Every structure is written in structure tokens, then in C-alpha cells.
């Protein structure tokens, strides 16, 4: 059965970087599992940072719905290979109108090919598509930074989420000397707090400007922290 995990930030907090590296690490730890990473945003942030020349987006594939080509092999036309299959987001104006049958069949098509689907959901994506992906996720992981605005935005958003039992959250871009303090402070929060990720600007410089994800780099504090959190994120 396919496992669907969504990463979401009500306020920008690095969820795209966290989710991509989580997908890459899961694939590295479980090479027998097929993993897809799907951007659900108002544009593709990963295409430029990965120096991708591939121009297709996942919405391009939806044009084949209800045709003879609507088969798992169709997914090969839209993917960018990075150790996991990456499907870039269309810009918001290029999203197809949301239809229940189309969205359900799209997720079914993904499930026929992939055992793990990681979604990077951004507030800039059209609302109905955001809501669909979040509703279909087995787990929704909030990515929050340790500043009052980000924390308040997360509290407000999570308080209104329809299925709170799906929610867990982490804190990104944390200074090393604040890790223990924040872990203690939020351990008993309303939703499961799974831990912190250290700030590592130089490592992400290599990811953004040299297309070299942090998950592939050696001696990364961020990577070490994320590896520790992975079992809580992808547990059944």
C-alpha cells in the first residue's frame, strides 16, 4: 500500500528543502522502495535549484486522463530523476480545474508505481488541490522556524485542520545551542512534536547553487538530524 506524506508550512520555513531531502534519504535507506517527490505549489522552486532542463510538470500528464495512454508508464514522461522521481509543480495559472474523478485517478496512477509519495505543499497552490492532497495524506508534517510569526501561523493553521490525528511537526533552521531548549519546550504541544533540524547555510548553498542536495553531502548536521527523525515521519 502506498504511503503518502505531506510537508507543509503555513509560513515559509524551508519545507521544500526538508521534504526533498527526506525523500532522498528514505530512498537511500530503503533502495527497494520506489519513491516519488511531488511539488504542489504556485511554481517550481526545485527546477531552478536542481538545474533541471526537464520542462514537464505533473499537470501536463493530466491531459491524458481517460485516454489509452493513462497507464503507469505515462509517469516516465513527466519525471526528473534524482535518486527519486521528481515531479515539478506547474505555475498556479496552469493548474487544471479541480475535478474529483481526475484527482482520484491521478493519485491511483501514482500508487500503481510508487510505494512512497512525498508531497511538498505550498500555500501558493490553488486551494482545492491543496485540500485534496492534504486530505489524502497518511501524515501531514508541519515545518516551522523558531520565530514567533512562524510558530503562531502553524498553531492557527493546525487548529483548523480537519484531521488532527494526522499532524506532526518539526522545527527547522535551529541553532545548535537552542536544540535541547526547544525540544523540552514543545514536547507536550497539542500536536506531536518530532524534533529539530539544525541550521546549515553552507550545505544548502551547495544544494541551491550547485544542484547538490544536502542528503548527498558528508558530515552534515542537518542530514544527521533528519535521519534521526525519519522513522517518526515515515512510520506506519
Amino acid at each position: 500500500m502506498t504511503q503518502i506524506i505531506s510537508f507543509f508550512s503555513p509560513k515559509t520555513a524551508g519545507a521544500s528543502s526538508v521534504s526533498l531531502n527526506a525523500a532522498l534519504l528514505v530512498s537511500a535507506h530503503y533502495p527497494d522502495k520506489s519513491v516519488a517527490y511531488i511539488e504542489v505549489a504556485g511554481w517550481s522552486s526545485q527546477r531552478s535549484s536542481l538545474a533541471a532542463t526537464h520542462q514537464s510538470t505533473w499537470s501536463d500528464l493530466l491531459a491524458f486522463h481517460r485516454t489509452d495512454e493513462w497507464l503507469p508508464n505515462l509517469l516516465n514522461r513527466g519525471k526528473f530523476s534524482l535518486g527519486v522521481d521528481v515531479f515539478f509543480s506547474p505555475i498556479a495559472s496552469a493548474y487544471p480545474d479541480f475535478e474529483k474523478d481526475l484527482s482520484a485517478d491521478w493519485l491511483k496512477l501514482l500508487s500503481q508505481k510508487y510505494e512512497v509519495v512525498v508531497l511538498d505543499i505550498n500555500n501558493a497552490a490553488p486551494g482545492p488541490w491543496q485540500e485534496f492532497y492534504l486530505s489524502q495524506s497518511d501524515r501531514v508534517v508541519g515545518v516551522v522556524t523558531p520565530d514567533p510569526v512562524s510558530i503562531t501561523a502553524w498553531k492557527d493553521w493546525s487548529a483548523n485542520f480537519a484531521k488532527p490525528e494526522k499532524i506532526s511537526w518539526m522545527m527547522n533552521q535551529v541553532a545548535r545551542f537552542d536544540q535541547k531548549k526547544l525540544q523540552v519546550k514543545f514536547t507536550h504541544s497539542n500536536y506531536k512534536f518530532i524534533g529539530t533540524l539544525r541550521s546549515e547555510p553552507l550545505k544548502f548553498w551547495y544544494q541551491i547553487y550547485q544542484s547538490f542536495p544536502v542528503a548527498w553531502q558528508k558530515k552534515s548536521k542537518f542530514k544527521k538530524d533528519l535521519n534521526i527523525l525519519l522513522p517518526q515521519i515515515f512510520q506506519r
Side-chain angles (χ1 to χ4, degrees):
M1 183 175 178
T2 300
Q3 188 177 30
I4 303 173
I5 307 294
S6 289
F7 289 77
F8 180 77
S9 294
K11 176 186 174 294
T12 301
S16 293
S17 294
V18 173
S19 55
L20 176 63
N21 282 288
L24 291 170
L25 288 173
V26 165
S27 181
H29 288 307
Y30 304 99
D32 57 321
K33 289 187 178 294
S34 51
V35 181
Y37 172 83
I38 300 175
E39 292 183 298
V40 184
W43 60 88
S44 175
S45 62
Q46 297 293 359
R47 179 184 291 169
S48 56
S49 65
L50 296 175
T53 57
H54 190 73
Q55 296 299 306
S56 292
T57 72
W58 55 264
S59 71
D60 296 328
L61 302 180
L62 301 187
F64 293 92
H65 188 229
R66 297 199 176 108
T67 73
D68 292 341
E69 295 180 76
W70 190 258
L71 298 168
N73 283 342
L74 175 66
L75 296 168
N76 294 331
R77 300 189 193 181
K79 70 181 184 181
F80 173 77
S81 297
L82 191 76
V84 300
D85 289 348
V86 177
F87 293 86
F88 297 122
S89 176
I91 59 173
S93 60
Y95 273 69
D97 292 336
F98 182 81
E99 297 178 10
K100 185 177 180 180
D101 289 346
L102 171 63
S103 60
D105 288 347
W106 166 239
L107 203 60
K108 182 179 179 180
L109 191 68
L110 289 168
S111 298
Q112 289 175 331
K113 186 175 178 67
Y114 300 105
E115 295 169 87
V116 179
V117 174
V118 176
L119 300 167
D120 171 29
I121 302 179
N122 186 283
N123 260 333
W129 282 101
Q130 283 187 55
E131 293 165 12
F132 164 70
Y133 279 117
L134 287 167
S135 70
Q136 298 301 308
S137 299
D138 299 303
R139 185 165 292 104
V140 177
V141 182
V143 181
V144 184
T145 50
D147 64 88
V149 175
S150 182
I151 293 170
T152 299
W154 168 249
K155 286 181 177 178
D156 291 344
W157 182 87
S158 57
N160 294 302
F161 189 67
K163 295 185 176 181
E165 68 277 5
K166 289 185 177 184
I167 296 177
S168 59
W169 66 293
M170 64 173 66
M171 196 160 282
N172 189 31
Q173 300 175 21
V174 173
R176 179 186 58 79
F177 52 80
D178 282 336
Q179 277 191 297
K180 289 183 179 179
K181 178 180 69 177
L182 292 171
Q183 185 71 46
V184 171
K185 181 177 180 179
F186 292 110
T187 293
H188 301 294
S189 61
N190 289 342
Y191 305 101
K192 183 179 180 181
F193 181 65
I194 60 176
T196 61
L197 301 171
R198 277 173 282 185
S199 178
E200 206 167 38
L202 181 59
K203 297 293 185 183
F204 280 98
W205 185 93
Y206 285 111
Q207 175 167 313
I208 294 170
Y209 295 105
Q210 295 191 0
S211 305
F212 193 57
V214 178
W216 294 351
Q217 299 177 38
K218 295 181 179 180
K219 298 182 179 179
S220 164
K221 299 179 180 66
F222 171 91
K223 176 180 175 180
K224 180 179 179 180
D225 294 343
L226 186 54
N227 265 323
I228 291 171
L229 302 185
L230 282 183
Q232 297 183 73
I233 298 170
F234 292 93
Q235 65 185 359
R236 284 289 185 182

